[in-house]
Structure formats: C-alpha cells, structure tokens
Amino acid sequence: MPRIVDHAARRAVVHEALWRVIGRVGLEHASTREIAREAGLSLGALNHYFANKDEMLISAHELGFGRARDRILATGRGKRGVAALRHALFESLPLDEERLLEAHVDVSFCAHAVTNPRLAEARRESHVELRRLLYGVLAEAREDGELRDGLRDSDVVDDWVTLVDGASVQALMEGPSDDLRRRQERQAEHFLARLRRTPGA
C-alpha cells in the first residue's frame, strides 16, 4: 500500500531546511541539492516544491516575510496605535542575528527582482499585506489622538518602509555592530517622535 505523504508537514520541513541553508551560505548560494540534503529528500521529491530557481527564491522571500509577520503579531499582542507601530518597526529592523538574516534574504531577493517581473510582483504582494497592517495601526493611533495634525497615512507608511529597507541595506554593507544598532534605534525613535502629537496640542 503506498505511503500517504503529509504534504503540509513536508512543506514545513522543506521550508525550514531552506531557511537553515540560507543561514549558512546565503540566498545567492542556496542550491536545490543542498536544500534536499538538509531536508532529507531526493532532488526529485524537492522538485514538487521548487520546480525552478524562481520558485525557490519566492519561497525564501515568503518564508522570511512570514516569519517576521508572525513574530510581530505574536509578540505585539495587546499593543495598539503608536505602540504597535513602534513594536512593528523595531521588530523589522536588523537589530539581531535573526532579523539580519531576514534582511539579507529580502535585499538579496530584491536584487533578483529588479530584472525579474515575477519576483517583483511577489514582493509587491507582500507589501500589500504589510501596508494593510500599518494602515490599521495608524487608524488606531488617529482614533486615540496620538498623531499630530497634517499627517498623511500613505506618507507615514512610505517613510516606515523606506527606513526599514535602508536600515537593511546599511546593516548588510557595514556589518552588525553595537554602534550601528544604536544609530538605527535612534533613527527609529526620531521617526516615531515626528508622528506624535505634542502634549497639550
């Protein structure tokens, strides 16, 4: 009798193997052969999940984005408004090894996406979800009277994304250090301070 394969469980195993390989060798050097070995599968079995290089890259991108999103939602329960925005921002900056790896995957993916419309569309789709989450916490902040007058939510979201993307490139170029972490934390706090309503205003 043929063995029944739990495809959801195997996909999780494949994705975790992909993430471990990326952590060791980087997205650019991750190969299907290495991922198959890490997952304990044959190359033929792995082809059910990554039919080509584009699908592997998209899976890596979605995995990195999903890990960050799930962490933000899990650790940010109970926060709303500016507090939730601050939490999401600091969890998205490359301030530790895990977040630096997520930044590495995203920046590497973007390098491929510049000339690959399919990859570019995958990242745009991820950012639709990100922007929806950010607009939600900004709506809470506005409802709670935390934001200064004259702010446009679209401008705030654009600045938030630019800050995170820029910090990711900066961390990869300079390399992690306590000095860089403090500088990026200051930049984040300055960004948030510009959003807040002045007490008594």
Side-chain angles (χ1 to χ4, degrees):
M1 183 174 180
R3 185 164 59 94
I4 297 174
V5 176
D6 185 338
H7 290 288
R10 178 170 284 186
R11 180 175 292 277
V13 168
V14 168
H15 280 172
E16 287 305 311
L18 169 62
W19 198 252
R20 289 194 298 273
V21 170
I22 290 171
R24 284 201 303 271
V25 304
L27 183 61
E28 305 83 355
H29 301 296
S31 68
T32 53
R33 186 176 300 279
E34 183 71 14
I35 295 163
R37 185 183 302 115
E38 184 74 23
L41 299 172
S42 67
L43 274 175
L46 194 70
N47 286 339
H48 290 294
Y49 303 95
F50 309 133
N52 53 48
K53 182 73 171 181
D54 281 2
E55 289 188 7
M56 189 186 78
L57 291 171
I58 289 171
S59 291
H61 165 69
E62 291 176 344
L63 183 60
F65 182 85
R67 289 169 70 97
R69 178 200 58 217
D70 293 347
R71 182 181 65 249
I72 290 167
L73 293 176
T75 60
R77 289 193 182 97
K79 293 181 172 65
R80 61 177 277 130
V82 172
L85 185 69
R86 182 185 186 279
H87 177 75
L89 177 57
F90 274 75
E91 284 295 327
S92 300
L93 293 172
L95 301 177
D96 61 19
E97 186 175 337
E98 179 181 9
R99 288 173 282 177
L100 185 62
L101 176 55
E102 291 166 359
H104 174 92
V105 170
D106 187 50
V107 172
S108 298
F109 184 83
C110 286
H112 290 281
V114 168
T115 56
N116 187 318
R118 185 181 177 200
L119 303 188
E121 180 60 25
R123 193 172 192 271
R124 282 194 294 270
E125 289 175 359
S126 296
H127 270 235
V128 168
E129 181 179 356
L130 170 64
R131 287 173 180 271
R132 179 179 58 79
L133 293 171
L134 295 177
Y135 281 126
V137 296
L138 285 172
E140 293 174 349
R142 201 173 298 285
E143 179 182 328
D144 295 345
E146 296 181 303
L147 301 181
R148 64 178 175 80
D149 294 335
L151 288 176
R152 293 175 49 187
D153 288 359
S154 59
D155 291 340
V156 174
V157 171
D158 283 344
D159 289 348
W160 192 100
V161 171
T162 299
L163 176 58
V164 171
D165 285 352
S168 296
V169 173
Q170 183 182 34
L172 293 173
M173 292 298 98
E174 292 190 22
S177 69
D178 290 341
D179 176 63
L180 178 60
R181 177 179 54 79
R182 286 191 293 268
R183 282 153 49 203
Q184 293 189 337
E185 288 175 343
R186 281 198 303 272
Q187 288 177 319
E189 295 291 8
H190 290 161
F191 164 74
L192 294 164
R194 292 195 299 270
L195 307 182
R196 292 188 175 98
R197 182 185 298 276
T198 303

